[in-house]
């Protein structure tokens, strides 16, 4: 086990050994840091390569800056080959015991484990550590599958955890890391690229394309095909491509089944439904349900799907018809989710409202439009909001060069200023 402990030393902050922290992501680190000082397990979830590991390391650095002894913090990343010897919770428990014997930390131990779903049986051990009243631990874990907190674990922890979903860089983070100004052109550049953090360290378009392709293949292979023993891997990828190229459109599973049958592919409703569910679980695609504003209920049938990052569209499937308006709608969805809103597609009588967003007591109605070019377009975008006769906030978001005055209580917001409005 001594060689394993050497691997642990390599990645930890002991003896003032500080790894790379990346671009500061204060939106997340502030929330997580403010939740410390208790026995709740802090759980970071999100698609692979959105920066969960960097955020964990940034939290570690803040703890040290706040006075925590760096030898009281242990960080393990199951994505690193050096930790391949950790197969199950027993191996993990043994390594933590070796850490305690070697460093003999006094007081609380801060335990950080990255991509913990790769440790078999981890649920029982983490629950045990978080509730240990002899040796005090505060536990932080990350994972790339939304089901990691479902079923048995949710029952086991019975509410003793707090979850933080991590997304790719926001537009504000994009202009922060690129040093660009907050402008329409910067927003369009962001829209035509993507927000995965490692994109900003790559030298050219070809390298970025290869990187995004590798991320997609890793998610589909490791998080879906291997985990669920997928029998038709080509169908899984084709469904992903279909969802990417139909993002921001209302679709149903029946539509998708008929689409593939029309191309001579033999599949079933249940297979397509299951595959879409697996894709959603990996956070690479998000499903948004329809909400009846008048009846205040969720509607079954058609849903919209949004990409977790537009880089999948921009670098992998740019040849398919896909307007700027659809990309704008996708970015608005992501910004709402990033800001903590529950998001639905609104329906009111026979009209559709792009987003009904709810956070605590705040409800916001939003229409997304590429450009309000003429009176007909303005009427089309404003009319659904005008038909909703309540006092909740209503916005039209577009890429227009000028900001229009409020119209019947509906505010016009330029897309690059949207995040400041909905915080």
């Amino acid at each position: 086990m001594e060689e394993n402990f050497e691997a642990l030393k390599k990645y930890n902050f002991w003896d003032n050994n500080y790894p790379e922290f990346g671009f500061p992501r204060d939106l997340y680190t502030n929330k997580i840091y403010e939740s410390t000082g208790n026995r709740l397990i802090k759980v970071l979830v999100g698609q692979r390569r959105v920066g969960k590991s960097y955020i964990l390391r940034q939290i570690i650095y803040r703890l040290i800056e706040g006075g925590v002894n760096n030898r009281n913090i242990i960080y393990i990343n199951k994505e690193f080959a050096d930790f391949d010897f950790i197969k199950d919770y027993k191996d993990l428990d043994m390594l933590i015991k070796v850490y305690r014997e070697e460093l003999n930390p006094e007081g609380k131990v801060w335990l950080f484990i990255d991509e913990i779903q790769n440790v078999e049986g981890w649920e029982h051990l983490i629950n045990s550590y978080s509730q240990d009243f002899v040796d005090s631990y505060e536990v932080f874990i990350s994972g790339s599958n939304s089901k990691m907190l479902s079923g048995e674990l949710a029952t086991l922890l019975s509410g003793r955890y707090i979850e933080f979903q991590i997304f790719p860089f926001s537009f504000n983070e994009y202009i922060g890391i690129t040093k660009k100004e907050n402008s329409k052109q910067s927003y369009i550049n962001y829209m035509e690229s993507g927000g995965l953090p490692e994109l900003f360290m790559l030298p050219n378009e070809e390298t970025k394309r290869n990187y995004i392709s590798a991320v997609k293949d890793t998610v589909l292979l490791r998080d879906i095909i291997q985990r669920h023993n997928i029998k038709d891997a080509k169908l899984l990828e084709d469904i992903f491509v279909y969802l990417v190229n139909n993002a921001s459109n209302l679709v149903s599973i029946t539509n998708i089944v008929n689409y593939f049958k029309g191309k001579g592919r033999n599949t079933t409703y249940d297979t397509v439904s299951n595959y879409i569910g697996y894709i959603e679980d990996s956070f690479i695609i998000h499903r948004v349900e329809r909400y009846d504003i008048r009846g205040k209920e969720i509607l079954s049938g058609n849903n919209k799907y949004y990409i977790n990052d537009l880089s999948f569209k921009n670098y992998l499937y740019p040849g398919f018809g896909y307007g700027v308006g659809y990309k704008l709608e996708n970015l608005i969805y992501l910004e709402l989710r990033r800001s903590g809103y529950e998001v639905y597609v609104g329906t009111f009588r026979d009209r559709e409202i792009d987003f009904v967003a709810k956070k605590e007591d705040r409800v916001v109605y939003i229409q997304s439009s590429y450009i309000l070019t003429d009176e007909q377009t303005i009427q089309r975008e404003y009319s659904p909001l005008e038909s909703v006769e309540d006092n909740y906030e209503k916005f039209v978001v577009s890429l227009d060069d000028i900001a229009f005055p409020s119209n019947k209580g509906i505010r016009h917001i330029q897309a690059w200023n949207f995040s400041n409005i909905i915080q």
Side-chain angles (χ1 to χ4, degrees):
M1 185 60 77
E2 184 175 338
E3 65 275 14
N4 297 336
F5 181 71
E6 289 301 314
L8 197 60
K9 286 175 62 177
K10 176 180 175 182
Y11 295 104
N12 272 273
F13 292 58
W14 313 326
D15 305 321
N16 297 316
N17 174 35
Y18 292 110
E20 185 180 354
F21 294 109
F23 180 80
R25 305 197 68 184
D26 295 340
L27 173 68
Y28 299 109
T29 57
N30 288 341
K31 289 180 182 178
I32 299 168
Y33 188 77
E34 289 166 4
S35 74
T36 60
N38 51 65
R39 291 185 175 274
L40 292 176
I41 301 169
K42 286 72 178 176
V43 184
L44 281 65
V45 295
Q47 178 205 304
R48 288 181 183 271
R49 303 296 178 260
V50 295
K52 299 186 296 295
S53 299
Y54 282 104
I55 291 171
L56 286 179
R57 292 199 289 269
Q58 289 172 21
I59 291 294
I60 291 173
Y61 182 72
R62 288 189 64 170
L63 289 171
I64 294 171
E65 289 288 288
V68 175
N69 188 325
N70 55 13
R71 294 167 73 85
N72 280 57
I73 300 172
I74 175 173
Y75 172 75
I76 299 167
N77 190 330
K78 267 296 290 172
E79 282 290 277
F80 296 158
D82 285 339
F83 293 112
D84 282 349
F85 66 90
I86 302 176
K87 304 297 184 184
D88 57 27
Y89 72 95
K90 295 178 182 177
D91 297 329
L92 178 59
D93 189 36
M94 179 66 69
L95 184 62
I96 294 171
K97 284 182 168 61
V98 169
Y99 150 77
R100 294 197 72 105
E101 291 171 1
E102 292 285 340
L103 268 65
N104 195 27
E106 296 182 2
K108 180 193 289 186
V109 168
W110 302 75
L111 176 59
F112 291 78
I113 307 177
D114 231 339
E115 299 298 347
I116 196 169
Q117 77 275 357
N118 296 327
V119 179
E120 185 179 348
W122 64 269
E123 306 93 330
H124 302 280
L125 182 66
I126 292 305
N127 183 59
S128 174
Y129 275 122
S130 71
Q131 300 306 309
D132 192 332
F133 288 91
V134 178
D135 296 319
S136 179
Y137 291 87
E138 188 154 350
V139 181
F140 301 73
I141 60 176
S142 81
S144 302
N145 190 285
S146 67
K147 290 293 189 280
M148 65 179 289
L149 286 177
S150 65
E152 182 181 358
L153 178 60
T155 302
L156 197 63
L157 299 184
S158 63
R160 294 191 295 268
Y161 66 89
I162 179 170
E163 181 178 309
F164 303 90
Q165 186 165 347
I166 311 301
F167 289 88
F169 278 167
S170 67
F171 175 61
N172 284 342
E173 290 175 314
Y174 169 83
I175 60 177
I177 196 171
T178 60
K179 309 299 182 185
K180 295 180 182 293
E181 64 177 2
N182 182 21
S183 67
K184 176 179 178 177
Q185 188 55 54
S186 296
Y187 193 84
I188 291 174
N189 292 343
Y190 170 63
M191 178 186 294
E192 295 301 323
S193 177
L196 294 184
E198 288 176 278
L199 276 176
F200 302 94
M201 296 180 277
L202 302 179
N204 54 54
E205 295 300 290
E206 182 179 359
T207 306
K208 292 178 181 180
R209 186 175 299 109
N210 290 336
Y211 169 71
I212 296 301
S213 180
V215 172
K216 181 262 296 180
D217 291 343
T218 300
V219 170
L220 295 185
L221 177 63
R222 294 187 59 181
D223 294 340
I224 301 178
I225 294 172
Q226 292 179 353
R227 181 182 299 274
H228 298 286
N229 194 25
I230 296 296
K231 304 228 175 354
D232 192 342
K234 183 65 167 61
L235 177 63
L236 176 75
E237 181 165 6
D238 288 346
I239 289 173
F240 172 70
V241 174
Y242 180 94
L243 294 176
V244 168
N245 288 313
N246 286 276
S248 305
N249 287 321
L250 279 173
V251 297
S252 69
I253 294 176
T254 300
N255 294 150
I256 300 173
V257 172
N258 291 337
Y259 168 81
F260 284 112
K261 285 186 174 179
K263 291 186 171 293
R265 304 285 292 277
N266 185 25
T267 188
T268 66
Y269 183 100
D270 287 344
T271 297
V272 172
S273 178
N274 288 336
Y275 283 15
I276 290 176
Y278 300 149
I279 293 170
E280 288 181 65
D281 290 344
S282 69
F283 299 102
I284 201 168
I285 291 284
H286 303 279
R287 174 171 53 91
V288 180
E289 297 176 307
R290 291 183 303 148
Y291 176 76
D292 183 352
I293 295 172
R294 192 173 187 181
K296 301 187 184 308
E297 61 181 358
I298 304 297
L299 301 175
S300 61
N302 294 354
N303 299 294
K304 284 192 177 184
Y305 294 88
Y306 294 97
I307 318 168
N308 194 52
D309 191 69
L310 285 177
S311 60
F312 294 107
K313 173 63 186 175
N314 295 328
Y315 291 106
L316 301 185
Y317 316 111
F320 295 84
Y322 195 85
V324 173
Y326 293 111
K327 292 185 180 181
L328 174 61
E329 186 176 326
N330 205 122
L331 289 182
I332 291 171
Y333 166 79
L334 292 173
E335 193 60 43
L336 288 167
R337 288 293 312 279
R338 208 177 271 117
S339 299
Y341 287 84
E342 296 177 36
V343 183
Y344 305 92
V345 176
T347 63
F348 189 79
R349 298 190 176 98
D350 59 344
R351 299 173 182 267
E352 179 185 308
I353 294 172
D354 289 333
F355 299 114
V356 178
K358 301 181 178 183
K359 182 168 70 170
E360 299 173 349
D361 295 331
R362 189 179 187 187
V363 178
V364 182
Y365 301 124
I366 299 164
Q367 286 290 91
S368 168
S369 178
Y370 171 33
I371 293 178
L372 301 171
T373 53
D374 50 41
E375 191 60 39
Q376 182 179 356
T377 305
I378 293 173
Q379 176 64 20
R380 185 185 70 236
E381 301 300 343
Y382 279 75
S383 178
L385 297 177
E386 292 173 3
S387 67
V388 181
E389 298 174 349
D390 60 33
N391 295 319
Y392 293 128
E393 298 168 274
K394 301 177 177 69
F395 301 119
V396 172
V397 182
S398 78
L399 289 171
D400 285 280
D401 293 316
I402 61 171
F404 296 100
S406 293
N407 183 346
K408 298 181 181 178
I410 301 169
R411 294 175 61 188
H412 171 247
I413 305 295
Q414 293 165 303
W416 51 97
N417 295 318
F418 178 64
S419 64
N420 301 323
I421 300 298
I422 50 100
Q423 291 297 330

